[in-house]
Amino acid sequence: MKVPQLRKKPEIKSCHNVTWEDNYSWIHQKDILEVLKDKNKLDPEVKEYLIKENNFTDYHLKETKPLQKKLFDEIKGRIKLDDESLPYRDHTYDYWTKTTVEGNYSIKLRKKINSKDVEEIWNGDKEKEKLGVEYFGVGDLEVSHDDKLLAYSLDTKGSEYYTIFIKDISSNRIVTKEIKETSGSIIFSLDDKYIFYSKLDNNHRARKIFRHKIGNFDDEDELIFEEKSEAFTVSIGISSDEKYYFISTSDHNTSEQYYFSINEKLPKPKLIIKREKGILYSVNSWDGKFYNHTNKDAEDFKIDISESLEKQNWKPFVTGKNEVLVGGCIFLKNWIIRSETSEALDKLFVRNISTDKEEELTFSEEKVCVPNISLKQKDRNTDEIYIGYSSPKTPSRVYSYNLLTKSKKLLKEQEIPSGHNPDDYIVERVEYESHDGRMVPLTITRHKKTKIDGSANLLLYGYGSYGNSMSPSFSSTRLSLIDRDIIWATAHIRGGMEKGMKWWKEGKLTNKKNTFEDYIYAAKYLIEKKYSANKKIIGMGGSAGGLLMGAVVNKEPQLFLGIIMAVPFVDSLTTNLDHSLPLTVGEFDEFGNAKDNKEHFDYIFSYAPYNNIKKMDYPHILITTSLSDNRVLFDEPAKFTAKLRDFKTDNNLLLLKTEMNAGHGGKSGRDGAIEEIAFDYAFALKISKKN
């Protein structure tokens, strides 16, 4: 089949006295944000190219169709399709969600306390059918405090523009106007007369908080707060004691918070602490005290406490520790629960308020696992909570736990209908030395029958941006590769916060190349220790993890058999130079500001995947993207693919697949998500010569 060719239309670009040629910049439309909302506005020539690439991909993966079906059935077979969550009790009802064998979306149910009559208040499949849309994304589902109203937000394109609806549960009637172009989150006022929400601006940034009077079909909503900086986005929430609303405004690196009382008829948000570059803080209120979770004078965070916000007098509550990330608090009447992260592992701590004694909450023998807790009920006067954990080999287990007696009872275990024995798998946590001597954690999961002699293929997963940490939790989907002798390794590289804020700082701005080096050194370590071998490793990453894939494949292509990039941020210089795009301005503290800072420009130019494609052999590459993605525009992977076709000197596969009805998270619905995983895994198995 003929290799798709994108028409060249050379444009000479320049910045800071540096010029470069871009043959494919023409595919970026000036009205790109309108295209995300309405795909009919897409340039017909570009659409034709994307369709040709899709056909080319289908042609080369045609023989994997039976394997994709097999993988789909396998992955779906590990999911208990007909399942129910554990209940959450408010003052009148127990609420829970349910999934069914036939459905793709969840159902929300409730029953009055001590009653057996179950009421369905939300059914995603029915709502999708009613709207007649292909993509169906639910942003938020909130029930009013009096249990009479259901507010929900929907994205029907994948572009993350959410419309809010509010309906009366008993009559199923819409009771107020549709609120369009919001970020999706909804907060009811305590008297249920209003909702608060954030509105997206023309650049898809949430910079305004509005209050909407329920029942209003005509009048403009009331503006409560506006953020003036284009780099910051806003959100609103209610305090743990339900006495204050808190408005948070932040970029990735700096935050500021405002508050107003729940009783204020005309809310006037008051500043808590003025923003200071590089300082993050988050204040909560409980039992007459205010708790501030901040990195001010504590790189890896601390928690301070004050009796008042008018007359602030912050005193230490939890002090900071080096390379131990201190998390926020969950409050009960007699207990405070908080988390810590170090060496890419989480821990939970419980403090008895009356004795002020704190101890670690441990409930698993496994060294590498992810613990979690959640509240069972709205009433905080309780000793009972849900605790749970999972690990790379152990499905999720949830217990009812009594904080006073320390007794626990298993309530729910993630069921794998097709069968699963954790003892068939080996999980290892190792550390390896990176290029500059830093020790990087690596989580390795393999089948016990897989030989460690260099013969195995290995999938090396990485992300390493925005301080996002990769948790070693259970994934039933990965077993489809692990059971076929493909080892799964997750590199906890810099740019995440697995070892605290320093770990993030060492992997961003002009330290970004540490992220790439950490990943390359992970691959070299795994080869040296005979987990795999040269040209047997498959790299995988999505979004900023796609930037990682693009950078490492340009630098060390010979290490890899193949690369799988999902919605990859591969034209990072072009995006960074365009301040009108949704995420650019808010990410100056993550990637730099190439337009206004020559040092940043030179640094990004030196690693940006699109600008560093070379004439050389590349491994097999699969790139997936979505037409309505506003976080990483589809034109980035499209340009990258077209340029790579011009330069690569090998005969390996280079495939681009564009979902024409999806956003940054891919297809909507359970089956859609499984289809995408099966597709990626079929590619991995094809190039590994496995089935």
Side-chain angles (χ1 to χ4, degrees):
M1 189 179 184
K2 196 175 171 207
V3 177
Q5 293 292 325
L6 184 59
R7 180 169 61 88
K8 286 189 176 74
K9 189 177 166 188
E11 180 189 354
I12 302 299
K13 294 182 167 184
S14 68
C15 190
H16 300 295
N17 297 319
V18 177
T19 59
W20 67 100
E21 188 175 73
D22 189 339
N23 287 323
Y24 302 113
S25 57
W26 67 270
I27 74 166
H28 179 76
Q29 293 176 225
K30 290 276 186 285
D31 63 344
I32 192 66
L33 295 181
E34 290 305 309
V35 176
L36 300 183
K37 293 183 199 173
D38 181 0
K39 60 185 180 185
N40 294 319
K41 293 181 177 174
L42 177 64
D43 181 329
E45 187 181 350
V46 175
K47 183 180 180 181
E48 188 188 352
Y49 170 71
L50 295 176
I51 290 168
K52 278 182 180 167
E53 286 284 7
N54 280 353
N55 293 339
F56 186 75
T57 298
D58 285 345
Y59 175 80
H60 281 283
L61 294 181
K62 188 169 53 190
E63 73 199 41
T64 70
K65 283 279 192 286
L67 177 57
Q68 287 179 49
K69 175 73 172 76
K70 188 178 177 185
L71 287 164
F72 178 90
D73 292 342
E74 233 174 67
I75 293 166
K76 196 166 178 177
R78 294 195 198 100
I79 300 169
K80 188 172 188 289
L81 303 173
D82 197 356
D83 202 8
E84 296 193 4
S85 70
L86 290 168
Y88 175 79
R89 176 165 289 188
D90 77 355
H91 40 75
T92 312
Y93 287 89
D94 285 326
Y95 285 90
W96 70 100
T97 56
K98 159 181 168 172
T99 53
T100 63
V101 174
E102 306 80 27
N104 262 301
Y105 301 89
S106 63
I107 296 165
K108 196 168 180 74
L109 302 168
R110 72 179 183 183
K111 68 179 181 67
K112 281 195 169 157
I113 297 165
N114 300 324
S115 161
K116 287 184 179 163
D117 298 334
V118 176
E119 183 185 0
E120 180 180 295
I121 63 168
W122 170 263
N123 185 311
D125 288 282
K126 285 180 185 170
E127 291 291 332
K128 179 176 186 278
E129 193 179 343
K130 196 165 76 185
L131 293 169
V133 292
E134 188 167 339
Y135 184 92
F136 183 75
V138 181
D140 205 352
L141 270 180
E142 293 292 330
V143 177
S144 59
H145 300 282
D146 65 6
D147 298 295
K148 290 178 180 173
L149 302 175
L150 176 70
Y152 54 97
S153 59
L154 300 177
D155 166 20
T156 56
K157 300 260 186 352
S159 54
E160 297 179 74
Y161 288 91
Y162 289 92
T163 301
I164 293 173
F165 304 85
I166 306 175
K167 70 175 183 180
D168 176 78
I169 293 172
S170 60
S171 68
N172 214 26
R173 235 174 11 91
I174 295 290
V175 297
T176 202
K177 69 178 178 185
E178 294 179 10
I179 307 168
K180 295 187 169 151
E181 300 193 346
T182 78
S183 65
S185 59
I186 305 161
I187 297 284
F188 274 99
S189 61
L190 284 184
D191 61 9
D192 295 323
K193 289 180 180 173
Y194 302 92
I195 61 160
F196 297 96
Y197 65 92
S198 54
K199 187 96 170 165
L200 298 172
D201 66 11
N202 293 334
N203 301 102
H204 200 279
R205 297 171 189 147
R207 288 171 53 216
K208 290 179 179 178
I209 300 284
F210 285 91
R211 183 171 78 162
H212 168 79
K213 188 169 174 45
I214 296 167
N216 166 22
F217 282 88
D218 304 309
D219 298 335
E220 291 288 309
D221 290 343
E222 184 185 353
L223 179 65
I224 299 294
F225 180 83
E226 181 175 4
E227 172 54 61
K228 300 297 185 192
S229 165
E230 291 196 349
F232 278 52
T233 54
V234 299
S235 62
I236 184 167
I238 195 162
S239 62
S240 291
D241 57 11
E242 296 191 331
K243 290 182 178 173
Y244 302 94
Y245 294 101
F246 287 114
I247 292 173
S248 297
T249 179
S250 65
D251 62 7
H252 292 287
N253 197 48
T254 305
S255 67
E256 187 173 73
Q257 212 171 355
Y258 295 76
Y259 74 104
F260 59 93
S261 163
I262 57 159
N263 303 319
E264 288 184 38
K265 289 200 165 55
L266 293 169
K268 293 270 183 296
K270 293 173 278 297
L271 177 65
I272 299 177
I273 300 167
K274 189 171 166 40
R275 71 186 67 174
E276 185 181 337
K277 191 170 171 60
I279 301 302
L280 294 162
Y281 77 90
S282 174
V283 172
N284 199 350
S285 159
W286 182 254
D287 195 26
K289 296 183 179 70
F290 297 93
Y291 294 81
N292 184 15
H293 180 237
T294 182
N295 66 346
K296 171 87 170 168
D297 302 324
E299 187 170 45
D300 293 315
F301 288 86
K302 62 178 179 176
I303 300 167
D304 287 342
I305 191 167
S306 175
E307 302 283 331
S308 162
L309 288 183
E310 279 84 16
K311 296 175 181 172
Q312 293 173 28
N313 181 21
W314 296 104
K315 293 178 177 164
F317 180 66
V318 176
T319 53
K321 304 175 188 180
N322 188 40
E323 296 203 355
V324 175
L325 195 66
V326 173
C329 296
I330 292 175
F331 299 97
L332 294 173
K333 185 173 188 290
N334 301 312
W335 310 93
I336 297 175
I337 305 159
R338 63 178 189 86
S339 66
E340 286 184 359
T341 304
S342 60
E343 300 296 343
L345 293 171
D346 298 336
K347 292 177 181 175
L348 295 173
F349 295 86
V350 180
R351 185 185 296 244
N352 184 319
I353 292 174
S354 58
T355 65
D356 206 34
K357 281 193 177 153
E358 187 176 76
E359 56 185 60
E360 188 181 344
L361 192 59
T362 54
F363 39 90
S364 168
E365 299 294 306
E366 294 185 58
K367 283 193 175 69
V368 181
C369 72
V370 181
N372 58 72
I373 75 132
S374 60
L375 299 181
K376 291 177 82 168
Q377 59 188 53
K378 190 177 177 66
D379 181 2
R380 307 274 180 129
N381 185 9
T382 180
D383 299 322
E384 294 275 331
I385 57 169
Y386 292 131
I387 63 169
Y389 79 96
S390 78
S391 81
K393 68 175 187 176
T394 306
S396 163
R397 290 176 182 166
V398 183
Y399 302 83
S400 177
Y401 184 77
N402 187 297
L403 292 159
L404 190 62
T405 65
K406 299 183 184 175
S407 60
K408 70 177 188 207
K409 180 187 172 191
L410 182 64
L411 296 180
K412 186 174 174 61
E413 194 165 2
Q414 182 183 347
E415 203 178 305
I416 310 294
S418 57
H420 174 72
N421 179 5
D423 295 336
D424 285 342
Y425 304 92
I426 294 168
V427 178
E428 294 173 272
R429 164 56 63 79
V430 298
E431 279 197 324
Y432 64 92
E433 193 175 325
S434 191
H435 70 109
D436 56 357
R438 279 293 244 161
M439 300 304 290
V440 184
L442 183 64
T443 305
I444 304 166
T445 310
R446 59 187 167 93
H447 197 281
K448 65 181 182 184
K449 289 181 182 168
T450 301
K451 292 185 174 70
I452 305 301
D453 59 4
S455 64
N457 286 104
L458 182 144
L459 189 141
L460 180 56
Y461 184 83
Y463 186 76
S465 284
Y466 306 115
N468 289 345
S469 300
M470 299 296 104
S471 293
S473 55
F474 181 74
S475 162
S476 64
T477 58
R478 292 174 191 169
L479 300 176
S480 287
L481 296 182
I482 295 168
D483 287 349
R484 287 173 171 85
D485 258 0
I486 295 181
I487 296 168
W488 187 289
T490 299
H492 303 282
I493 53 184
R494 280 175 281 184
M497 281 206 284
E498 286 94 337
K499 292 175 82 166
M501 280 289 277
K502 197 179 280 135
W503 204 242
W504 181 12
K505 288 175 182 172
E506 288 181 18
K508 68 173 182 172
L509 293 170
T510 51
N511 291 321
K512 189 70 218 160
K513 288 180 187 175
N514 284 334
T515 306
F516 314 143
E517 292 292 346
D518 286 357
Y519 185 89
I520 288 164
Y521 273 72
K524 289 177 175 176
Y525 171 87
L526 290 160
I527 291 165
E528 181 200 334
K529 298 296 181 188
K530 298 275 194 284
Y531 286 97
S532 193
N534 255 351
K535 297 204 180 337
K536 278 189 167 287
I537 293 177
I538 299 162
M540 190 181 205
S543 194
L547 163 68
L548 167 69
M549 292 300 111
V552 300
V553 79
N554 280 335
K555 194 165 190 297
E556 302 269 3
Q558 78 290 344
L559 289 174
F560 301 98
L561 168 65
I563 297 281
I564 299 171
M565 311 184 191
V567 290
F569 181 38
V570 279
D571 192 11
S572 52
L573 179 65
T574 303
T575 294
N576 191 272
L577 289 168
D578 186 348
H579 295 186
S580 73
L581 292 175
L583 298 187
T584 298
V585 177
E587 297 188 345
F588 287 163
D589 281 326
E590 182 71 25
F591 295 109
N593 178 354
K595 194 174 183 178
D596 302 326
N597 183 314
K598 184 171 186 335
E599 185 195 1
H600 290 177
F601 171 84
D602 290 341
Y603 193 78
I604 295 170
F605 193 87
S606 72
Y607 73 73
Y610 181 69
N611 298 89
N612 286 278
I613 292 171
K614 302 178 189 75
K615 221 169 201 32
M616 61 182 180
D617 285 1
Y618 280 84
H620 299 287
I621 297 176
L622 170 65
I623 303 171
T624 58
T625 186
S626 298
L627 191 59
S628 297
D629 187 346
N630 77 68
R631 298 186 189 215
V632 180
L633 301 176
F634 70 87
D635 51 33
E636 293 200 35
K639 286 173 66 181
F640 183 79
T641 304
K643 185 173 177 182
L644 198 49
R645 292 209 188 285
D646 296 336
F647 278 77
K648 73 191 203 82
T649 51
D650 56 84
N651 293 315
N652 291 327
L653 292 173
L654 170 58
L655 305 175
L656 171 66
K657 180 173 189 258
T658 305
E659 284 300 336
M660 305 305 263
N661 293 291
H664 194 65
K667 289 182 186 175
S668 67
R670 182 173 62 198
D671 283 1
I674 298 170
E675 279 167 14
E676 292 191 332
I677 295 164
F679 183 83
D680 291 347
Y681 286 8
F683 174 81
L685 291 168
K686 175 183 165 71
I687 63 176
S688 304
K689 298 186 167 48
K690 296 176 188 286
N691 54 38

